[in-house]
Amino acid sequence: MNPKKYFSLLLFVIISFYSNAQSRQWSLEDCVKYALDHNISIRQSELDTQSAGIDKNDAFGRFLPTVSANASHSWNIGLNQDITTGLLKNQTTQFTSAGASVGIDIYKGLQNLNTLRKANLSIVAAKYQLQKMKEDIALNVANAYLQVLFNKENLKVQNNQLTIDTKQLNRTQELVNAGTLPKGDLLDVKATIAADNQKVINAENALLIAKLSLTQLLQLDSFENFDVTESNEFEMNQAILSQTPTAIYDKAKQERVELKIAQTNLEIAQKNVIIAKGAYQPTLRGFYNFNSRVSYADIALRDSNTGAIIGTQSAPKFMDQFSDNKGQSFGAQLSIPIFNGFSVRNNVERNKVSFEKSKIALEKQELDLQRNVYTAFTDAKGALKAYESAVQALDARSESYNYSKEKFEVGLMNSFDLSQSQTLLSAAQSEVLRTKYDYIFKTKILELYFGIPIIKN
């Protein structure tokens, strides 16, 4: 194959693949999953969960013994005591020492046990916090997604209105040319089309902004080619409204992580009080120590008659000295706190205050949840009534417009009045769309309180 043709074909394939990838249409499930995988706050919360797991490992490590070893070696150069004669001589003497120690807590006011239990609760709280963050992000994405769908349908309504008015312009032109209608009616229709074009531009801008908001939530780099699917995954489901607010609240108390977080924080605060009280009790620690030492120097051997150095003699062997000088100690150490400047008492009181604050936070969370459930239920019912009213108004506006169009066709209505009827019809269509998606979003909130997720896991 010609290299130029091969390169052109390869470039075409790459561009086609890139264009298809960029023009991909996202479903709500795609958007939510992508947001959960790439959101920075969620990644930070996941790291918090990992940190809680490390804290648990620390708490478990408190039950294990501590083991340490030490060793040292030194040279003493100069006037030193001869290790054989005891006389002071200029020589180099070396010293080596080594040791090891083991310690373990036998009793520490149950602080280690309660610290481990607290660490387990902290892991649970971190997981609840992560779940809460994921639910909040999913709800925000759903809201932004519905805004895109609303603006897409609203753009269709405005384009449809522009098409109708354009046809009306052609019809009016024919009637003006035939002398049936005055020229002023033609100018009115042209003004209406200009207003329709402005509405289309506004709808396009609103759709662009809605897409931008959604892509920012997803943290995508580009939004120009971003689009969402126009599926029927959002329906006017009224099943949740068959439940009573009390039933939804009772289910929310079991399902919502807000209460679980507050309850877990209360248990953590209670453990902190118990741990602080443990410092009042005595501690018992077992220990074992081993040590040994070695010292040596080169000893000069002299002739007994002349005093001349005839050789050297080394100190006793290293391993022999290490074995002969070894020593061991073991036992238990009891420590009884008597007075510590009220630090333990103040720490206990401080944690008691935190415990009371956690109790109040739990009570407040229960009240907030009850208020939010009843508010969400009322908002959903109000949104449904608003939608039903908007549908009735649209039916009436449609009949009114059809009647106005018939009157205009026979010359009983001028183009300005017909344009007003068309404008009211377009506004009614937009209101139906607005109330529809407002109701869908508010039912999503109510379903969350009832334990129904935004998307199925």
Side-chain angles (χ1 to χ4, degrees):
M1 181 182 290
N2 189 305
K4 291 184 178 179
K5 291 183 178 179
Y6 177 80
F7 178 77
S8 300
L9 178 61
L10 180 62
L11 183 62
F12 174 76
V13 172
I14 293 175
I15 293 175
S16 299
F17 175 80
Y18 180 77
S19 299
N20 290 333
Q22 291 298 310
S23 60
R24 165 194 172 189
Q25 290 189 328
W26 295 61
S27 66
L28 176 61
E29 183 176 356
D30 293 334
C31 292
V32 171
K33 288 184 176 180
Y34 187 91
L36 296 182
D37 290 338
H38 295 81
N39 186 270
I40 294 177
S41 297
I42 286 182
R43 282 151 55 188
Q44 289 177 334
S45 185
E46 289 173 343
L47 292 176
D48 291 338
T49 304
Q50 294 181 19
S51 296
I54 296 173
D55 292 339
K56 177 183 177 180
N57 293 335
D58 282 340
F60 181 77
R62 294 171 184 254
F63 291 94
L64 303 177
T66 58
V67 181
S68 62
N70 61 83
S72 66
H73 185 84
S74 62
W75 289 263
N76 290 337
I77 302 175
L79 192 62
N80 291 297
Q81 188 178 34
D82 193 306
I83 60 176
T84 58
T85 64
L87 300 176
L88 294 176
K89 292 183 178 182
N90 284 316
Q91 61 181 356
T92 299
T93 305
Q94 300 184 49
F95 295 92
T96 300
S97 64
S101 62
V102 179
I104 186 170
D105 289 330
I106 299 175
Y107 182 77
K108 199 178 178 182
L110 300 179
Q111 287 181 310
N112 292 345
L113 178 61
N114 288 312
T115 299
L116 178 60
R117 291 173 176 172
K118 172 191 168 183
N120 288 327
L121 289 172
S122 297
I123 292 177
V124 173
K127 290 181 179 179
Y128 283 151
Q129 194 64 49
L130 177 60
Q131 181 182 348
K132 174 68 166 56
M133 188 172 296
K134 288 182 177 180
E135 289 179 353
D136 290 344
I137 290 174
L139 188 62
N140 291 335
V141 169
N143 185 28
Y145 192 92
L146 289 171
Q147 286 296 320
V148 174
L149 290 181
F150 162 69
N151 283 289
K152 289 186 71 172
E153 292 199 27
N154 187 53
L155 178 59
K156 291 180 182 178
V157 169
Q158 302 305 328
N159 280 322
N160 183 59
Q161 186 63 45
L162 176 61
T163 301
I164 293 174
D165 288 341
T166 301
K167 292 180 180 179
Q168 188 63 43
L169 174 65
N170 297 330
R171 175 60 177 164
T172 303
Q173 182 69 60
E174 294 175 357
L175 294 176
V176 169
N177 293 338
T180 305
L181 291 178
K183 188 176 181 181
D185 285 4
L186 181 63
L187 297 177
D188 288 338
V189 175
K190 289 183 178 181
T192 300
I193 291 178
D196 290 342
N197 282 317
Q198 184 64 39
K199 291 178 181 179
V200 169
I201 293 174
N202 291 336
E204 290 174 343
N205 290 336
L207 177 58
L208 187 66
I209 292 174
K211 288 183 178 181
L212 175 61
S213 299
L214 180 55
T215 54
Q216 286 179 337
L217 274 177
L218 302 182
Q219 297 180 354
L220 294 175
D221 296 331
S222 175
F223 71 94
E224 287 83 0
N225 297 316
F226 176 85
D227 202 2
V228 301
T229 58
E230 299 181 32
S231 62
N232 295 324
E233 56 183 319
F234 296 106
E235 299 178 353
M236 299 292 294
N237 187 0
Q238 301 182 25
I240 188 64
L241 292 180
S242 63
Q243 302 289 335
T244 64
T246 303
I248 297 175
Y249 173 63
D250 291 338
K251 187 71 178 294
K253 286 193 295 184
Q254 301 174 6
E255 299 290 339
R256 292 304 299 163
V257 293
E258 294 95 329
L259 284 184
K260 295 179 181 179
I261 292 173
Q263 181 63 46
T264 306
N265 287 337
L266 178 62
E267 295 175 10
I268 291 174
Q270 187 177 28
K271 290 298 179 186
N272 283 332
V273 174
I274 296 174
I275 293 171
K277 287 182 177 180
Y280 282 124
Q281 301 184 34
T283 60
L284 181 62
R285 183 173 179 82
F287 64 88
Y288 170 81
N289 296 316
F290 171 84
N291 59 79
S292 185
R293 66 187 185 281
V294 176
S295 61
Y296 49 91
D298 290 335
I299 305 170
L301 299 177
R302 297 178 183 274
D303 186 271
S304 58
N305 296 323
T306 64
I309 298 176
I310 60 175
T312 60
Q313 178 182 345
S314 299
K317 292 183 179 181
F318 181 91
M319 293 306 300
D320 292 339
Q321 288 193 62
F322 191 83
S323 177
D324 294 339
N325 295 329
K326 67 182 179 181
Q328 304 178 61
S329 64
F330 57 88
Q333 180 181 3
L334 179 65
S335 176
I336 302 175
I338 298 176
F339 182 75
N340 46 33
F342 303 112
S343 62
V344 174
R345 188 193 70 175
N346 292 337
N347 191 37
V348 171
E349 294 301 320
R350 187 180 300 110
N351 282 283
K352 284 183 177 180
V353 171
S354 298
F355 176 71
E356 292 299 324
K357 290 172 66 176
S358 297
K359 287 176 63 177
I360 295 174
L362 177 58
E363 294 175 3
K364 182 178 181 300
Q365 192 62 63
E366 290 177 346
L367 292 175
D368 289 344
L369 180 61
Q370 185 181 36
R371 182 181 66 252
N372 292 338
V373 167
Y374 276 79
T375 300
F377 187 85
T378 303
D379 289 345
K381 291 201 70 173
L384 178 60
K385 291 180 180 179
Y387 171 75
E388 292 171 346
S389 298
V391 170
Q392 292 176 0
L394 176 60
D395 292 340
R397 291 297 178 191
S398 297
E399 293 180 7
S400 175
Y401 171 71
N402 291 331
Y403 181 66
S404 298
K405 188 166 61 173
E406 292 175 359
K407 292 175 64 177
F408 178 78
E409 292 291 339
V410 297
L412 297 178
M413 177 179 286
N414 57 40
S415 60
F416 177 79
D417 291 335
L418 178 63
S419 174
Q420 291 295 105
S421 179
Q422 291 173 340
T423 300
L424 293 174
L425 175 61
S426 176
Q429 291 172 332
S430 296
E431 182 65 10
V432 168
L433 292 177
R434 186 194 67 80
T435 54
K436 170 187 173 182
Y437 286 108
D438 181 59
Y439 171 75
I440 291 174
F441 178 68
K442 287 176 178 176
T443 54
K444 287 294 181 183
I445 296 176
L446 199 58
E447 288 174 350
L448 269 180
Y449 286 122
F450 200 64
I452 302 175
I454 296 293
I455 60 172
K456 295 181 179 180
N457 296 326

